[in-house]
Amino acid sequence: KWKGEGTTQNLESIVIGRCYDYIRIVNPAVGEKNCSEIWEAFKNAFVNKDPCSILPEDYELFINLSLHTIPPNKSLFWENNHLLVNSFAGRGRRYMSLADTLFGFCGDFLNWCGQANSIELDYESCPTTEECENNAVESFWRMASITYAQHSSGVIHVLLNGSAVGGAYPEPGFFADYEIPNLQKDKISQIAIWVVDDIEGPDTDSCGTHTVEKLENRLRTLGYDVTCTDNYKSVMFLLCVDYPDDSKCTLSSSAPAAQRGPISSD
Ligand code: ENP
């Protein structure tokens, strides 16, 4: 009946399993958490309710139970490069994106919704944001985004896609609408923006142009120390794993080395 995909099969096992994986293996520094209570709070945000009447506040208990500190200088905000961010952050080892916090980890890549007057989840279909914005998944990420921004500190990193259709900094978007307004200015020393193009994609947006200029101006007006780097090398190296022969992926120092012949004995 809805246009979106239905609830991910085995949702309960996945969420509870992810919670234990997170607190035992991925990030034991968060300390003891009650994963079955976290699942109950997550589920109670949307079961037995009209799937178009779920509000961010409905996840409040879930967030309170799963909240933990986000290390300073580790926050990584992004738009339009989900898989790249997942690998660049390295499950919190390099950076801690929202999906690398316990509360974001529980929902990443999943889909879910309930039904009015039934305790059953809907595995057939769920409303898209176009059908109704107050759906279970959208409200979850809104609440998670707000919480993540409020708890971020030190140097804040923002990874944007310079090849994205419509610009690297989308408005409306989670970063523009739920994250920037919830950053705590007194806890933040700098905002470092990275604009990275897809290896085989167009150079649609860069630091100082179009939507990135708009973002830089917005953040400076808010009083932040803002830096912006195009095609930041560390991220380029990661993208280049899949395009070793592309001209953008030539390691400048390796060109002569590659031309040298085998080591001779004389
Ligand atoms: P998209 O549309 O590129 O990617 C959506 C996918 O990323 C979905 O699989 C979603 O999980 C997962 N995801 C991980 N973190 C977030 C998230 N944080 N979020 C929405 N989806 C997330 O992403 P968006 O819509 O542009 O959102 C990017 C935002 O994430 C940025 O604001 C960034 O700073 C933030 P699922 O459960 O929907 O399958 C916030 C909103 O961290």
Side-chain angles (χ1 to χ4, degrees), residues 11 15 56-57 65 71 78 104 112 189 195 203 223 226 244 265:
L11 184 76
V15 173
E57 301 81 78
L65 294 171
W78 56 277
W112 61 90
S189 53
V195 185
D203 176 9
V226 180
S265 53

Side-chain angles (χ1 to χ4, degrees), residues 77-79 82 98 107-110 137 141 145 174-175 179:
F77 295 85
W78 56 277
E79 289 286 0
H82 183 210
L98 173 51
D108 205 16
F109 294 103
L110 305 180
V137 174
W141 288 112
S145 287
F174 284 101
F175 184 57
E179 296 174 330

Side-chain angles (χ1 to χ4, degrees), residues 8 18 76-83 85-86 97-100 104 106-112 137-138 140-142 144-146 148 157-160 170 173-176 178-179:
T8 309
R18 280 185 178 185
L76 176 60
F77 295 85
W78 56 277
E79 289 286 0
N80 293 309
N81 42 32
H82 183 210
L83 298 178
V85 166
N86 278 170
S97 72
L98 173 51
D100 306 304
C106 285
D108 205 16
F109 294 103
L110 305 180
N111 212 29
W112 61 90
V137 174
E138 180 75 15
F140 171 88
W141 288 112
R142 286 183 184 179
S145 287
I146 292 166
Y148 177 68
H157 306 89
V158 187
L159 179 53
L160 302 177
F174 284 101
F175 184 57
Y178 298 97
E179 296 174 330

